[in-house]
Amino acid sequence: DTGVSQNPRHKITKRGQNVTFRCDPISEHNRLYWYRQTLGQGPEFLTYFQNEAQLEKSRLLSDRFSAERPKGSFSTLEIQRTEQGDSAMYLCASSPLAQETQYFGPGTRLLVL
Amino acid sequence: QKEVEQDPGPLSVPEGAIVSLNCTYSNSAFQYFMWYRQYSRKGPELLMYTYSSGNKEDGRFTAQVDKSSKYISLFIRDSQPSDSATYLCAPRAGANNLFFGTGTRLTVIP
């Protein structure tokens, strides 16, 4: 399967714990995006990388959230000191440099108890 | 005011019906207009997109954009039970992030 992959698919954690999600984009896609989707809502943009450079961050991305994309390949999204309001589906998407289409992964569903 | 407004539905139609899904937006900088389909507990998958105003047809699906009224539409002809999903409009400005509507949940009844 050459699509976008995300791990883990599901994560249950207790409030206050740290969690880390991984996204592997489609090979040779330079752009990588993170979105968050809560129940009954559309995805909301969190942050975006072009290669290893993080070019844009939404104000939704509080200082408890950090994303990295070392070497411009896979990306990780870490949430520190999780809160119940962080419970959501975290989606990763990638796109080629010169095109407009973003391809989404299956998402990581986070539940904070 | 949200960047993109979309009626969340739910919308139920009989098999074979024509479905009309709509969004309005406020940002004049939007140039690309995507429609994604999302099945329950899955990531969104791209159905089709248009650039600027106009129509685009792909099989049973037709996307329309009217930039003068900031109105986006997706029509599904001869709807099938397999079309049952949530449909998300997602415009964007240039090669930047997408702005999603809330999504319209569609059920096609056999």
Side-chain angles (χ1 to χ4, degrees), chain A residues 35 37 45 100 102 109, chain B residues 36 38 41 92 97-98:
Chain A
Y35 291 83
Q37 185 176 25
F45 170 73
E100 300 78 32
Q102 293 183 22
R109 187 173 294 276
Chain B
Y36 283 82
Q38 187 173 27
R41 301 185 175 276
R92 69 188 290 180
N97 56 286
L98 296 163

Side-chain angles (χ1 to χ4, degrees), chain B residues 9-37:
Chain B
L11 182 61
S12 292
V13 301
E15 182 176 354
I18 296 174
V19 177
S20 172
L21 303 166
N22 308 293
C23 293
T24 58
Y25 65 94
S26 57
N27 190 341
S28 299
F30 289 150
Q31 299 172 299
Y32 299 92
F33 301 88
M34 276 63 169
W35 281 96
Y36 283 82
R37 178 174 61 194

Side-chain angles (χ1 to χ4, degrees), chain A residues 15-27:
Chain A
R15 188 177 54 187
Q17 298 295 305
N18 299 344
V19 293
T20 300
F21 310 139
R22 176 176 170 131
C23 171
D24 287 89
I26 294 171
S27 179

Side-chain angles (χ1 to χ4, degrees), chain A residues 2-75:
Chain A
T2 57
V4 177
S5 62
Q6 292 186 246
N7 287 289
R9 294 293 308 279
H10 300 90
K11 179 71 177 178
I12 300 174
T13 191
K14 293 182 180 178
R15 188 177 54 187
Q17 298 295 305
N18 299 344
V19 293
T20 300
F21 310 139
R22 176 176 170 131
C23 171
D24 287 89
I26 294 171
S27 179
E28 298 182 357
H29 277 195
N30 297 90
R31 295 186 177 136
L32 188 149
Y33 302 80
W34 285 99
Y35 291 83
R36 180 174 71 185
Q37 185 176 25
T38 54
L39 198 63
Q41 300 297 315
E44 294 175 294
F45 170 73
L46 292 178
T47 190
Y48 146 62
F49 291 84
Q50 181 164 309
N51 298 313
E52 65 275 9
Q54 188 172 17
L55 297 186
E56 189 176 346
K57 290 193 287 188
S58 161
R59 60 178 180 274
L60 290 175
L61 211 68
S62 75
D63 56 7
R64 296 185 298 105
F65 287 70
S66 62
E68 294 182 341
R69 193 183 181 196
K71 303 178 184 178
S73 55
F74 71 92
S75 176

Side-chain angles (χ1 to χ4, degrees), chain B:
Chain B
Q1 184 186 6
K2 295 180 73 173
E3 297 264 11
V4 182
E5 299 279 355
Q6 183 175 9
D7 186 341
L11 182 61
S12 292
V13 301
E15 182 176 354
I18 296 174
V19 177
S20 172
L21 303 166
N22 308 293
C23 293
T24 58
Y25 65 94
S26 57
N27 190 341
S28 299
F30 289 150
Q31 299 172 299
Y32 299 92
F33 301 88
M34 276 63 169
W35 281 96
Y36 283 82
R37 178 174 61 194
Q38 187 173 27
Y39 293 108
S40 182
R41 301 185 175 276
K42 303 286 187 183
E45 58 175 333
L46 181 70
L47 266 179
M48 59 194 304
Y49 77 92
T50 56
Y51 173 73
S52 193
S53 283
N55 294 1
K56 186 173 183 179
E57 188 173 321
D58 184 0
R60 296 183 296 109
F61 298 87
T62 300
Q64 285 186 353
V65 176
D66 182 346
K67 291 192 74 176
S68 63
S69 59
K70 297 186 175 65
Y71 198 79
I72 314 166
S73 300
L74 178 71
F75 298 96
I76 308 174
R77 291 185 301 279
D78 188 25
S79 54
Q80 303 295 309
S82 58
D83 295 330
S84 297
T86 295
Y87 289 81
L88 298 148
C89 62
R92 69 188 290 180
N96 296 317
N97 56 286
L98 296 163
F99 289 86
F100 283 89
T102 54
T104 300
R105 195 169 77 186
L106 171 68
T107 302
V108 181
I109 303 166

